[in-house]
Amino acid sequence: MNQQPWKSLVGLAARARKIISGEELVVKEIQRSKVSLVLLSLDASKNTEKKITDKCAFYKIPLRRVENRYELGQAIGKDARVVIGIQDEGFARKLNTLLEE
């Protein structure tokens, strides 16, 4: 089983209840500055992509892209997810470095 390290970390954050998923919930938490990192799938719709990237840019929240919605959902143990927000600074910092590689 060759699972990518970022998926394991996202799963750990999910079990620690330090993530938020779903477009509207993530946007609300970005506006409240309650997320430290946003993960957006590459297969998100153009409308969702624009909304999330604009909000992240305006509120200065780091944004990382991942392969697809199914990998993102699998990482948190749910169905397909297009966007999730990481609420914990430590998880966000480590995920940021893992996704840069």
Side-chain angles (χ1 to χ4, degrees):
M1 187 162 130
N2 189 15
Q3 187 171 5
Q4 297 156 326
W6 71 267
K7 283 186 188 178
S8 299
L9 193 60
V10 169
L12 189 61
R15 287 188 295 282
R17 298 187 179 263
K18 296 295 183 184
I19 66 160
I20 202 93
S21 73
E23 181 183 344
E24 294 306 316
L25 291 173
V26 170
V27 167
K28 191 186 326 179
E29 294 301 304
I30 289 171
Q31 291 170 334
R32 295 172 59 207
S33 295
K34 296 287 185 182
V35 292
S36 302
L37 176 69
V38 174
L39 300 178
L40 180 66
S41 69
L42 289 170
D43 60 351
S45 71
K46 295 294 178 195
N47 188 26
T48 300
E49 183 179 348
K50 180 172 176 15
K51 183 189 292 186
I52 297 295
T53 53
D54 289 351
K55 290 289 183 194
C56 285
F58 184 80
Y59 291 97
K60 295 177 177 47
I61 305 289
L63 173 70
R64 290 285 173 198
R65 305 300 299 263
V66 296
E67 286 300 314
N68 60 49
R69 65 184 69 203
Y70 304 106
E71 281 192 12
L72 199 52
Q74 179 189 18
I76 63 171
K78 306 262 186 205
D79 290 334
R81 291 288 190 264
V82 174
V83 61
I84 65 171
I86 308 296
Q87 296 173 309
D88 183 77
E89 182 65 39
F91 282 123
R93 203 172 21 253
K94 182 65 176 169
L95 265 171
N96 215 1
T97 58
L98 286 174
L99 288 170
E100 279 177 353
E101 297 170 355

